[in-house]
Amino acid sequence: MRTLHGISYSPWTEKARWALDHHGVAYRYREHLPLIGEPLLRWRTPRGVKPAVPLLIDDGEPFAGSFVIARRAEELGQGEPLFPAADLPVIQRWEEESDQVLSAARAKVVAALLESRQAQVDSLPAFLPVGLRSLLAPSAKLGARFVARKHQTPTDIDAFLQEKVVPALERLREALGGRPYLLSRFSYADVTAALMLQFVRAVDDGYLPLKPGTRAVWSDAALAARFPDLLAWRDGLYAKHRRP
C-alpha cells in the first residue's frame, strides 16, 4: 500500500492529499512528528532532496513534495486532469507563488506557536495521555524551534508578510478577476493558490479538522478582512471539488 507521510495541518500536505483524493488514488496516511521523526524522514528521502513532508512512498519509490506527488497522482489515478499540458507553465508559476507565501506563513505560525500554550498542547503527539499533555506543552517549543532552524525562517516576519504575501494575494485576486478558476476549468493551479489562504483563515473543520489552539495560530484577522473575496473563492472550491 502506498503511504503518504505528512503533517495534518500543513498546507503542503493538504495539496498532496487533495490531488490524490481528486484522482481516487488509494493510500494510507502517516503523521510526521517534527524533530522526533526527522531521522526516519531523512532515511526515506531521496539523496540530494531536502528532507521534508509531504513524502509519498509508492512501491518503495519516494516522491517528495506536493507538486511531485500531485503529478504522480495524475499518472496513477482517474478523473479530470489537474495538469493540462498547455497550461503547465502557468501552474508551475502558481506553485512557486504558493510556496513563497506558505514559507512566510510557516514563519508566522511557528512564532505564534511559541507564544500559545494551547497551540503547544494541540501539537503534541496524540498518543500522549490527556493528563500529561498540559505538563509537556513546553516541549512543543523544541519542535517549533527545530522547524524554524530547518527552514531558516525570517526574523522580521511582519515585513516578510508585507513584502511577499500581500502582493501575492493581490496578484491572485487580479488573475481570478471574479472567475471561478485560474484556468478555463479546475486545475492544480487552483489547489495550490487556494492553500495560500490557509493561514489567513483555515478552511472549515469539515475538510481539515484543527484543534482550537492550532486554528488560532493559523489565522490572520487583518488579512482576512482585506481579502474576504479570496476566502469566499477558496471556500467555494472546497465545496465543489473537495470531499469533506
Side-chain angles (χ1 to χ4, degrees):
M1 185 66 174
R2 63 185 61 89
T3 302
L4 179 69
H5 299 269
I7 297 175
S8 57
Y9 55 79
S10 162
W12 284 281
T13 297
E14 171 64 0
K15 290 186 202 182
R17 298 189 80 166
W18 194 336
L20 289 164
D21 294 343
H22 172 84
H23 287 297
V25 177
Y27 64 95
R28 59 186 174 187
Y29 177 76
R30 292 289 181 268
E31 185 75 4
H32 169 71
L33 300 177
L35 187 59
I36 297 173
E38 190 70 12
L40 189 56
L41 178 63
R42 290 180 181 275
W43 178 76
R44 290 186 174 120
T45 302
R47 182 170 297 181
V49 177
K50 183 177 181 179
V53 291
L55 177 69
L56 179 71
I57 306 298
D58 187 7
D59 198 21
E61 184 177 359
F63 296 86
S66 308
F67 194 84
V68 172
I69 295 170
R71 295 301 303 270
R72 178 62 173 171
E74 189 133 307
E75 293 175 3
L76 295 170
Q78 303 172 353
E80 289 291 323
L82 294 176
F83 293 90
D87 295 310
L88 188 56
V90 176
I91 295 172
Q92 289 173 321
R93 285 199 300 273
W94 281 111
E95 176 73 351
E96 292 165 5
E97 190 92 81
S98 179
D99 276 348
Q100 285 198 36
V101 168
L102 292 179
S103 293
R106 177 170 52 208
K108 181 178 182 296
V109 168
V110 166
L113 176 63
L114 292 172
E115 301 298 324
S116 171
R117 187 174 183 84
Q118 183 58 58
Q120 292 164 20
V121 172
D122 289 351
S123 68
L124 292 172
F127 58 76
L128 288 175
V130 174
L132 288 178
R133 297 183 70 81
S134 182
L135 181 64
L136 295 176
S139 67
K141 292 183 178 181
L142 296 175
R145 293 191 180 107
F146 171 78
V147 170
R149 290 193 303 271
K150 178 179 177 179
H151 297 285
Q152 298 179 333
T153 57
T155 53
D156 192 342
I157 297 171
D158 289 338
F160 195 58
L161 290 176
Q162 291 300 315
E163 178 186 348
K164 298 293 184 182
V165 174
V166 171
L169 294 179
E170 293 284 6
R171 285 191 290 271
L172 176 58
R173 173 184 276 162
E174 182 180 0
L176 284 168
R179 297 179 297 118
Y181 307 121
L182 285 165
L183 303 177
S184 59
R185 58 176 177 76
F186 180 64
S187 72
Y188 184 79
D190 300 303
V191 172
T192 193
L195 265 300
M196 292 195 298
L197 295 154
Q198 179 65 6
F199 89 107
V200 177
R201 190 188 71 212
V203 73
D204 290 346
D205 279 339
Y207 298 101
L208 190 60
L210 296 176
K211 294 177 181 177
T214 303
R215 180 168 290 277
V217 299
W218 279 96
S219 64
D220 188 304
L223 288 176
R226 185 167 180 172
F227 296 102
D229 54 326
L230 295 184
L231 289 168
W233 168 76
R234 186 275 312 272
D235 292 345
L237 277 183
Y238 264 85
K240 188 171 183 179
H241 296 284
R242 188 79 170 104
R243 292 193 300 269

